[in-house]
Amino acid sequence: MHLHWALMKGSNRPERAALEAALVALERDATLPPFEAGVDWDRVRGVLLEAAERLRDNYPYGHPLYVGQMLKPPHPAARLAYALAMTINPNNHALDGGRASSAMEKEAVASLASMFGWSESLGHLCGGGTMANFEALWVGRQERPGRGVAASMQAHYTHSRLSEVLGVPFVGIATDSRGRMDPAALETALASGAIGTVVATLGTTACGAVDPLPEILAVARARGVRVHADAAYGGYFTLARNLEAPARRAFDAAGECDSIVIDPHKHGLQPYGCGAVIFRDPSVGRHYRHDSPYTYFTGRDLHLGEISLECSRPGAAAVALWTTMRLLPPVPAGAFASGLEAGREAALALQREVGADARLVPLMAPELDIVVFTRRGARASQASEANRRIFDAAARHDLHLALASFPRPLVEPSGAVQSWDADSVTCLRACVMKPEHRDWMPEIVTRLKSALDDAA
Ligand SMILES: *Cc1c(COP(=O)(O)O)cnc(C)c1O
């Protein structure tokens, strides 16, 4: 497997110079006596080279020809800020473990919250979207004791598992043919009174579907049911100006939800280990109250460990996010938002190309920047097999797609399959989430067509 590190190599020297300057600034006016931990640098160099050998076995995630899974390279500013903070290794559990990085986390989370019009909310960073959703569902259970969770059949698979962990029932709600929750089906499911929290997914992981949030809010509010927005992948698209009307309406209503989850490590240019959960009503902080004998909370300021299920957390993640947001503020029409819009344009271009090729069919129009399509097939199983062949052939052309299984109701309306010998089809999926994907689309399409010819 060959790696394509052109992206990083090009910026290698200025990158090191920037880190060097920041390290000098960080150590300025140090008053403690010099101290060096005993490190055998020859041995370190040796094992680091071993690690480099092992790391060669990877896909080229950072390259525009990688359109497979939801992987977007962190911004160099994020990587550098993370590395800078690692010379301290702060722990954002308590101010005692990371004073500066805790303050930076509060500012970064406030900035995320402001994207949804929230100024008085309560939130924090966490390991990722799963942990963030776990906290939102847990607070939901504390607020509506004994009642369960409803999410669409296309919601992230962890919602049902998290409900299991919380010991509450989970109900999957049917979707329309574009993978969006059906509000009428939700209304039926809520009639029993067993549900306390509805999860609206703003950008499903499989196809980027945006649930109709205004309708979901109306149905849920009528029954006193909480609404949680799982915007782990899609949340930042609230900044984009090129959404279709239904998706726009959904994002515009996000501020009315009780909680929102957004993953800076998905679309926010951050290294892994950076999700966020934010609650509209700061008083839910009372559910976190604990009285641990190890507690080292000093002073009266809010320690993030007082409002988080996780204990130790990387302060470096907060420093990386804070720095990235200073560089690229999350505002409409800004450079960061333009990057999201470019990915969406790339998705629309790919959908057009796929639609124009007689061999292929797009499953649905992309709502964000994920395109799902399939080879036409006489039978469902044949379409799946053909897609697997195209996936392999594309990889041989250095074009890395993903495979994803979609149920019959989401494939059938496309007319791609004539007879059904299986209840799902393994489809091709492209996450065109790098801004560069727009300019690379002609090259991507050329390689896709070569793969189609090879796999014929
Ligand atoms: C990725 C994703 C998750 C899970 O987040 P992790 O950061 O992978 O734990 C949850 N929900 C949605 C919609 C996602 O796209």
Side-chain angles (χ1 to χ4, degrees):
M1 176 81 48
H2 288 284
L3 297 178
H4 309 259
W5 291 128
L7 248 170
M8 281 186 202
K9 270 191 195 139
S11 59
N12 205 316
R13 228 169 301 130
E15 183 163 344
R16 282 186 203 166
L19 184 57
E20 190 63 40
L23 286 168
V24 169
L26 179 63
E27 312 241 311
R28 197 189 56 230
D29 302 333
T31 54
L32 290 173
F35 151 81
E36 282 218 22
V39 175
D40 180 344
W41 287 108
D42 285 338
R43 293 257 308 137
V44 168
R45 194 184 149 87
V47 292
L48 200 60
L49 288 174
E50 272 184 59
E53 284 306 317
R54 294 298 299 268
L55 281 170
R56 289 172 60 80
D57 177 24
N58 260 313
Y59 293 99
Y61 309 113
H63 196 281
L65 285 175
Y66 184 89
V67 295
Q69 306 295 340
M70 221 172 244
L71 294 154
K72 187 175 181 175
H75 196 281
R79 279 194 278 125
L80 288 171
Y82 203 104
L84 178 68
M86 281 312 293
T87 62
I88 298 168
N89 193 30
N91 182 343
N92 274 13
H93 170 60
L95 294 171
D96 315 49
R99 261 200 327 261
S101 52
S102 290
M104 290 161 99
E105 173 165 339
K106 287 174 196 171
E107 289 174 38
V109 171
S111 182
L112 291 175
S114 72
M115 291 179 3
F116 305 100
W118 289 352
S119 54
E120 300 291 320
S121 50
L122 187 80
H124 64 88
L125 301 180
C126 47
T130 307
M131 196 60 210
N133 279 320
F134 184 51
E135 294 208 21
L137 297 185
W138 171 68
V139 164
R141 191 197 68 180
Q142 302 306 88
E143 292 276 315
R144 302 283 185 278
R147 291 160 73 183
V149 173
S152 94
M153 304 289 271
Q154 285 290 307
H156 200 267
Y157 74 95
T158 47
H159 288 290
S160 72
R161 199 157 70 178
L162 292 171
S163 302
E164 223 173 272
V165 176
L166 289 169
V168 299
F170 175 85
V171 182
I173 309 294
T175 70
D176 68 9
S177 61
R178 283 176 81 174
R180 304 175 293 199
M181 184 189 283
D182 174 2
L186 176 66
E187 185 148 35
T188 308
L190 295 191
S192 73
I195 299 301
T197 302
V198 178
V199 178
T201 307
L202 302 184
T204 59
T205 317
C207 66
V210 180
D211 283 347
L213 187 54
E215 287 77 6
I216 291 170
L217 279 161
V219 168
R221 292 292 183 239
R223 295 188 172 273
V225 168
R226 287 172 67 84
V227 179
H228 167 62
D230 180 0
Y233 144 67
Y236 285 103
F237 274 97
T238 192
L239 303 173
R241 291 161 302 171
N242 58 353
L243 302 180
E244 277 179 56
R248 184 71 264 161
R249 283 176 65 239
F251 282 108
D252 287 346
E256 292 169 48
C257 293
D258 296 289
S259 48
I260 298 176
V261 157
I262 178 167
D263 262 5
H265 72 200
K266 283 257 176 78
H267 246 309
L269 302 166
Q270 297 310 296
Y272 283 114
C274 195
V277 59
I278 315 174
F279 296 93
R280 183 164 51 98
D281 173 8
S283 78
V284 300
R286 70 188 182 281
H287 296 301
Y288 291 87
R289 198 160 288 156
H290 63 85
D291 193 11
S292 138
Y294 330 104
T295 289
Y296 50 100
F297 296 150
T298 51
R300 280 203 216 100
D301 288 342
L302 177 73
H303 298 258
L304 289 160
E306 291 175 279
I307 55 155
S308 167
L309 282 184
E310 282 172 289
C311 200
S312 295
R313 290 186 303 104
V319 176
L321 181 60
W322 184 93
T323 306
T324 310
M325 286 169 127
R326 290 285 284 190
L327 183 73
L328 299 165
V331 292
F336 176 73
S338 303
L340 298 170
E341 289 161 1
R344 184 156 157 68
E345 280 176 46
L348 294 173
L350 180 56
Q351 184 216 0
R352 277 194 301 276
E353 293 285 353
V354 163
D357 190 304
R359 298 166 288 184
L360 299 175
V361 194
L363 247 57
M364 65 278 284
E367 290 199 86
L368 301 179
D369 59 5
I370 301 174
V371 186
V372 180
F373 54 101
T374 176
R375 182 84 165 81
R376 289 183 188 277
R379 294 198 307 273
S381 62
Q382 284 173 339
S384 295
E385 274 163 42
N387 289 332
R388 282 192 208 100
R389 280 200 304 276
I390 295 165
F391 171 83
D392 288 335
R396 288 194 289 275
H397 288 276
D398 281 331
L399 174 67
H400 299 281
L401 298 159
L403 291 167
S405 171
F406 283 83
R408 179 173 174 175
L410 266 64
V411 183
E412 200 160 16
S414 71
V417 168
Q418 266 126 53
S419 83
W420 287 86
D421 61 346
D423 52 18
S424 65
V425 174
T426 302
C427 297
L428 291 158
R429 169 169 165 268
C431 295
V432 287
M433 62 200 300
K434 301 180 191 99
E436 299 82 14
H437 278 143
R438 181 176 53 194
D439 291 344
W440 277 75
M441 197 43 72
E443 183 66 30
I444 290 168
V445 170
T446 301
R447 289 174 191 242
L448 175 60
K449 301 232 169 189
S450 302
L452 276 161
D453 294 340
D454 292 358

